[in-house]
Amino acid sequence: MSVWYASPYPPDFTCLPKIFLCQFCLKYFKSSATLHRHAGLCMWRHPPGREIYRSGKTSVFEVDGEKHKVYCQSLCLMAKLFLENKTLYFAVEPFLFYVMTEYDSRGCHMVGYFSKVSDLHREKHSAQNYNLSCILVLPQHMRKGYGKMLIEFSYLLTRREEKVGSPERPLSDLGLISYRSYWREVILTHMLKLSPSPSSSSSSSSSRSSCSEFSVKELSQESGIKCDDLVSTMQYYGLLKYWKGKHIVLRRKEVLDEHAKKLESRKGSPATLDPSCLQWTPKTYPMYT
């Protein structure tokens, strides 16, 4: 793969035109011959840690940075090759890494991952209840829906924890686009579930009607998305209007019809998350005073 940015590999690696990585354990080598010898000995066929999700050929492994420090450091060094603002490389102990893979006869091949601060370290590292710190989809797997799937998976864990969450700020330009797209989809999907209001919120367009049943707080609790993120997304896409002293959610028929068609065409896609396949229970830690 052609990389986009420099990464702080050891000095004797950064001067090389190419480095070679084992796709399973992520160890790095100076030559293809060394990698070939390693591949004959490497017993890994999937990321370390616990497999917490499997649906079809897609799996997600939860990797603890404290228990699998070398693997997580190698993962962060590789991620820096494609993420301009990534600063975490070696202090991986406070983080959990959720590595998504595709399975074939040779093993589980990584397509991307996201990380977040573990509950054990959250009070020290984040008071904002961030549910995602860093996210990456490898270039050869981009534009296949895996970025949205990783974001959705982070909120699936948040809902299982019975919390609401938000990604760590600041978001990159690409990250903001991806999140706004996901938040918009959640909002429109929720609108499709609601019966349309019989009266128009403004008589200027018959394709716009007030979604009087819409509650941002209820959607936040249902989706795990913070209210602030939902409101800012509706404002950005023109789905929220201040009219006669009230904030009104606009139900745009043409937008909802287009979204319904998109959902229908996506059925059966391999990049579709099945919440019933998650085998994960939030860890609880003792409270000390």
Side-chain angles (χ1 to χ4, degrees):
M1 292 180 288
S2 297
V3 302
W4 304 342
Y5 307 103
S7 181
Y9 282 99
D12 52 336
F13 281 84
T14 54
C15 63
L16 298 173
K18 290 183 181 180
I19 59 174
F20 300 83
L21 274 68
C22 174
Q23 63 173 312
F24 295 114
C25 71
L26 301 184
K27 288 182 180 178
Y28 40 94
F29 304 93
K30 295 181 179 180
S31 69
S32 59
T34 310
L35 173 61
H36 184 72
R37 287 195 297 270
H38 166 82
L41 300 172
C42 184
M43 303 299 292
W44 292 36
R45 288 299 176 266
H46 58 74
R50 184 165 59 104
E51 185 182 23
I52 62 172
Y53 176 89
R54 183 189 296 182
S55 177
K57 294 184 178 181
T58 304
S59 292
V60 177
F61 292 82
E62 182 182 62
V63 187
D64 191 327
E66 199 163 20
K67 294 179 180 178
H68 304 283
K69 184 176 178 179
V70 174
Y71 175 87
C72 293
Q73 288 176 339
S74 298
L75 178 60
C76 289
L77 286 171
M78 184 197 68
K80 181 62 181 79
L81 297 171
F82 307 102
L83 298 173
E84 182 177 11
N85 298 319
K86 183 169 179 60
T87 57
L88 169 70
Y89 315 120
F90 304 110
V92 296
E93 293 89 343
F95 293 87
L96 295 172
F97 297 80
Y98 295 88
V99 184
M100 183 170 286
T101 66
E102 283 184 344
Y103 172 80
D104 64 16
S105 59
R106 296 173 57 209
C108 295
H109 308 275
M110 182 172 65
V111 301
Y113 84 98
F114 72 88
S115 62
K116 72 171 185 174
V117 178
S118 71
D119 285 343
L120 183 61
H121 299 271
R122 182 164 292 172
E123 185 175 347
K124 179 180 177 181
H125 287 265
S126 171
Q128 303 296 325
N129 200 29
Y130 293 136
N131 65 354
L132 186 145
S133 298
C134 180
I135 184 170
L136 171 72
V137 176
L138 293 176
Q140 69 269 33
H141 295 290
M142 290 181 177
R143 301 187 181 278
K144 296 181 180 179
Y146 288 113
K148 171 186 167 296
M149 196 174 178
L150 284 167
I151 292 173
E152 188 176 0
F153 195 86
S154 71
Y155 281 108
L156 177 59
L157 298 183
T158 300
R159 294 195 298 272
R160 187 65 63 89
E161 293 174 318
E162 298 182 349
K163 297 178 180 178
V164 295
S166 187
E168 188 172 329
R169 266 56 171 194
L171 288 170
S172 65
D173 292 341
L174 186 59
L176 182 59
I177 291 171
S178 299
Y179 265 95
R180 274 182 176 161
S181 176
Y182 173 72
W183 291 331
R184 177 179 183 268
E185 185 169 308
V186 170
I187 292 166
L188 294 179
T189 301
H190 184 68
M191 284 185 178
L192 286 174
K193 296 177 183 178
L194 303 176
S195 56
S197 172
S199 60
S200 173
S201 63
S202 65
S203 57
S204 60
S205 173
S206 60
S207 64
R208 302 181 184 181
S209 62
S210 171
C211 200
S212 58
E213 305 92 340
F214 193 100
S215 167
V216 172
K217 185 176 181 180
E218 288 180 5
L219 178 55
S220 175
Q221 293 171 344
E222 178 184 314
S223 63
I225 302 171
K226 275 192 172 181
C227 290
D228 290 348
D229 293 331
L230 294 171
V231 171
S232 66
T233 301
M234 288 190 286
Q235 289 173 332
Y236 181 81
Y237 287 105
L239 299 173
L240 194 65
K241 182 179 181 180
Y242 190 74
W243 189 64
K244 291 187 177 180
K246 295 181 180 180
H247 284 96
I248 297 175
V249 177
L250 300 179
R251 192 179 190 278
R252 300 175 180 269
K253 184 178 183 302
E254 69 280 6
V255 174
L256 291 177
D257 288 345
E258 181 183 350
H259 181 63
K261 291 179 182 178
K262 187 181 293 186
L263 292 179
E264 187 65 28
S265 65
R266 197 180 294 164
K267 286 182 178 179
S269 167
T272 302
L273 198 66
D274 183 355
S276 66
C277 294
L278 177 64
Q279 303 295 321
W280 183 82
T281 302
K283 293 180 180 179
T284 56
Y285 298 96
M287 298 296 293
Y288 298 100
T289 58

